[in-house]
C-alpha cells in the first residue's frame, strides 16, 4: 500500500498546468509575456447553524504566457469577502506538494472587510494545484484549491507491429483537490498499416474489489485508423486501501484480424 501511495503521489507532482502548454526554455522566457486567467474557485461559508453567512473566499490562479503561446510560470492569490461581522485570516499556501509559505510576511491579521492578497511570487518549477488555507474568527478553519496539474505517465506498455506502434498509458493528475486517473491509447502508423480501436479502460483492484470505467471506441461503429490516433477515458481515483493495482488497458484489432490488448499498471 505504501509503495503504491508513494508512486501515485510522485507522478501527481506536476511540471506544468494542463491547458497552459509546456514550460518554456531560456529563449522563450525572453519573449513578451502576458498574465492570463487559469482558474478561480469561490466558496461561500455559513456559521455552525448552517444558515448565517460568514462570507465568501476565492482562490485564483493565473498563468504567464509568451507571445508564442508557451507558459513560463504561474501565480496565485486569495480574495476574501467577510459577512455578518465574521473575520477571515489567511495563513499559508503551497503549490500541491511544495513547502508552506505565509500569505502575508509575518502573518496576516484577521480581515473583517473585503480584502485581496498580493499575487504570490511566480512559480516556475514543478507545480500543481494552488492551495490556500486560513482561519475564521470563530476558530474554524478553511482551505481552497484552484487549478490542476498536467497528466503524468505512471505506467506504460507499448508494442510495435508491422502496422505501427501502439501504446497504452496509465496517467494521473490532481484537478484542484481531486486526484484523477486515465487510460490513454495512442497509435503511430507505419508502412501504410492500420488498427481498429475497440475499447479503453481505466480501473483498479483494491483489497480484491475491482472497479473500472470503460470507453467503447466502436460506438456507434468501429473505425479503421490509418493515421496517428489517440483516445482517453478518465475517472476520479479511488482511495487506496490494502493490496492494490491501478491499471489502464486498450483493446484493438490489427490488419490480420487479431484482437490485441495492452495493459499498463502500478501494483503493490
Amino acid at each position: 500500500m505504501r509503495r503504491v501511495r508513494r508512486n501515485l503521489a510522485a507522478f501527481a507532482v506536476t511540471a506544468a498546468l494542463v491547458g497552459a502548454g509546456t514550460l518554456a526554455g531560456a529563449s522563450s522566457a525572453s519573449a513578451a509575456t502576458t498574465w492570463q486567467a487559469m482558474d478561480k474557485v469561490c466558496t461561500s461559508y455559513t456559521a455552525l447553524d448552517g444558515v448565517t453567512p460568514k462570507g465568501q473566499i476565492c482562490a485564483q490562479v493565473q498563468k504567464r504566457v509568451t507571445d508564442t503561446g508557451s507558459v513560463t510560470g504561474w501565480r496565485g492569490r486569495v480574495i476574501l469577502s467577510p459577512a455578518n461581522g465574521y473575520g477571515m485570516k489567511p495563513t499559508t499556501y503551497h503549490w500541491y506538494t511544495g513547502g508552506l509559505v505565509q500569505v502575508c510576511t509575518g502573518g496576516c491579521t484577521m480581515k473583517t472587510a473585503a480584502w485581496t492578497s498580493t499575487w504570490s511570487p511566480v512559480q516556475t518549477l514543478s507545480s500543481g494545484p494552488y492551495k490556500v488555507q486560513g482561519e475564521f474568527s470563530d476558530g474554524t478553519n478553511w482551505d481552497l484549491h484552484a487549478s490542476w496539474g498536467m497528466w503524468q505517465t505512471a505506467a506504460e506498455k507499448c508494442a510495435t507491429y508491422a502496422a505501427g506502434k501502439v501504446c497504452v498509458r496509465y496517467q494521473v493528475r490532481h484537478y484542484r483537490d481531486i486526484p484523477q486517473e486515465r487510460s490513454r491509447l495512442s497509435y503511430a502508423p507505419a508502412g501504410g498499416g492500420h488498427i481498429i480501436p475497440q475499447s479503453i479502460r481505466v480501473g483498479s483492484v483494491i483489497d480484491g474489489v475491482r472497479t473500472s470505467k470503460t470507453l467503447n471506441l466502436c460506438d456507434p461503429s468501429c473505425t479503421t485508423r490509418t493515421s496517428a490516433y489517440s483516445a482517453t477515458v478518465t475517472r476520479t481515483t479511488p482511495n487506496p486501501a490494502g493490496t492494490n493495482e491501478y491499471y489502464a488497458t486498450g483493446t484493438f484489432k490489427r490488419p490480420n484480424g487479431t484482437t490485441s490488448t495492452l495493459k499498463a499498471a502500478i501494483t503493490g
Side-chain angles (χ1 to χ4, degrees):
M1 177 189 70
R2 292 190 182 92
R3 182 160 63 86
V4 174
R5 282 178 181 268
R6 286 197 299 269
N7 287 343
L8 290 174
F11 283 110
V13 175
T14 57
L17 298 180
V18 164
T22 56
L23 202 60
S27 59
S28 297
S30 62
T33 60
T34 58
W35 284 104
Q36 299 179 11
M38 180 68 188
D39 193 26
K40 185 177 182 180
V41 177
C42 297
T43 300
S44 296
Y45 297 86
T46 59
L48 294 177
D49 61 11
V51 177
T52 306
K54 293 199 290 188
Q56 184 185 74
I57 302 174
C58 300
Q60 184 180 16
V61 171
Q62 290 183 335
K63 57 186 177 181
R64 187 174 64 184
V65 184
T66 70
D67 52 10
T68 59
S70 296
V71 174
T72 60
W74 307 270
R75 64 184 184 180
R77 68 178 181 180
V78 60
I79 303 168
L80 309 180
S81 301
N84 294 316
Y86 282 93
M88 302 170 172
K89 182 174 74 171
T91 53
T92 57
Y93 71 87
H94 66 87
W95 293 95
Y96 189 48
T97 56
L100 293 175
V101 180
Q102 289 185 324
V103 174
C104 305
T105 302
C108 297
T109 58
M110 193 68 69
K111 310 299 181 182
T112 57
W115 180 85
T116 300
S117 72
T118 59
W119 289 104
S120 69
V122 179
Q123 173 75 7
T124 58
L125 302 176
S126 296
S127 66
Y130 165 80
K131 177 182 178 179
V132 61
Q133 52 204 357
E135 307 167 354
F136 289 104
S137 55
D138 62 6
T140 56
N141 298 321
W142 55 266
D143 65 76
L144 283 176
H145 296 74
S147 207
W148 49 91
M150 190 175 79
W151 288 106
Q152 298 290 295
T153 298
E156 178 183 72
K157 182 69 174 181
C158 296
T160 301
Y161 308 98
K165 184 177 182 179
V166 183
C167 292
V168 171
R169 297 178 177 90
Y170 173 74
Q171 298 181 318
V172 296
R173 73 170 184 178
H174 266 72
Y175 178 80
R176 297 174 177 166
D177 61 339
I178 301 172
Q180 293 182 325
E181 61 183 5
R182 77 177 184 182
S183 172
R184 183 174 189 271
L185 172 72
S186 63
Y187 169 59
H194 71 270
I195 65 167
I196 305 176
Q198 305 288 297
S199 65
I200 51 176
R201 174 178 296 173
V202 61
S204 63
V205 182
I206 300 175
D207 282 344
V209 178
R210 182 182 299 271
T211 62
S212 64
K213 182 177 180 180
T214 301
L215 177 64
N216 179 5
L217 300 176
C218 285
D219 183 13
S221 63
C222 297
T223 302
T224 299
R225 303 293 178 176
T226 58
S227 58
Y229 170 81
S230 67
T232 61
V233 61
T234 302
R235 72 170 186 169
T236 298
T237 305
N239 291 327
T243 302
N244 48 56
E245 176 188 53
Y246 298 86
Y247 66 88
T249 62
T251 301
F252 52 94
K253 283 188 177 181
R254 291 152 52 193
N256 62 6
T258 300
T259 298
S260 299
T261 298
L262 294 179
K263 179 180 180 179
I266 291 178
T267 58

